[in-house]
Amino acid sequence: MSGATAAVPGLDCRRASADSGSDLAELVRLRDAAARWMHARGITGQWQPGELGADHFRRVMEHGEVWLARTPDGRVAGAWELWWGDEDAWGPQDTPAGYVHRLMTDRIAAPPGTGRELLRAAERRVAGTGRSLVRLDCLAGNGPLNAYYAAAGYRAVGRKQGKPQPGGVPKSFVLREKALAS
């Protein structure tokens, strides 16, 4: 899965390491920068700066994967979490899927199209495990982000009220999924 991606030339996606202090620091930096970016645009109900630290990403790596994408000059352009289950949002599921969480891009380092390319990289990783679905949840009140995921082919299939959050109060989400070509 690691290596350059097609749509954003030179973007290199690799798994982050729990043993790498620099990987963990970059993940926290990206998450906080994304939260500040949302706040500056009036999106205050989703992520809060300082809400998640390195321990959060270490915990995710115990049962899932965290990926970093770098530009050809080595700058971190984005990241995402990939889980192999999400019963808090989706409940027990008969069809195995990959669950994308915390898709983040660096608003300075990321070339145009990076967010979509990170989604495609996650989809390729999920397909490589033999799963046929990618799922994600999106804050119900974030209209622009819901439109973004819909345009990327993720259809709304339900809602989850009161999903527990790693750094705050439970929130309501739109459940979205995309079938992968076999």
Side-chain angles (χ1 to χ4, degrees):
M1 170 63 205
S2 65
T5 62
V8 180
L11 196 62
D12 186 44
C13 298
R14 298 189 186 275
R15 282 179 73 171
S17 170
D19 297 326
S20 170
S22 63
D23 283 0
L24 293 168
E26 287 288 359
L27 290 163
V28 172
R29 179 192 65 78
L30 274 172
R31 174 58 163 61
D32 285 348
R36 285 190 299 276
W37 182 87
M38 284 189 263
H39 280 236
R41 282 147 188 81
I43 304 166
T44 59
Q46 190 157 345
W47 293 354
Q48 304 304 315
E51 186 175 47
L52 300 181
D55 287 345
H56 164 81
F57 294 103
R58 275 193 204 95
R59 280 191 302 275
V60 170
M61 290 178 202
E62 290 175 10
H63 303 287
E65 301 173 0
V66 180
W67 290 79
L68 284 168
R70 294 186 184 275
T71 61
D73 63 2
R75 293 181 299 158
V76 173
W80 74 93
E81 296 176 10
L82 186 57
W83 302 3
W84 302 115
D86 186 1
E87 287 198 17
D88 283 344
W90 291 83
Q93 295 291 309
D94 293 331
T95 304
Y99 298 81
V100 174
H101 287 277
R102 276 169 272 290
L103 180 72
M104 312 173 268
T105 60
D106 183 308
R107 299 289 171 180
I108 297 169
T114 296
R116 254 330 140 76
E117 187 55 36
L118 298 182
L119 277 175
R120 285 189 288 267
E123 291 162 8
R124 288 190 298 273
R125 172 67 180 127
V126 170
T129 68
R131 291 170 172 86
S132 62
L133 290 172
V134 179
R135 294 184 173 129
L136 54 83
D137 56 59
C138 183
L139 189 67
N142 189 335
L145 190 55
N146 272 287
Y148 176 85
Y149 287 128
Y154 287 81
R155 64 185 183 90
V157 296
R159 286 179 74 97
K160 172 64 178 181
Q161 304 296 330
K163 178 185 172 194
Q165 297 300 291
V169 298
K171 299 174 185 166
S172 297
F173 290 84
V174 175
L175 302 177
R176 297 186 164 279
E177 71 180 17
K178 182 177 183 177
L180 301 174
S182 42

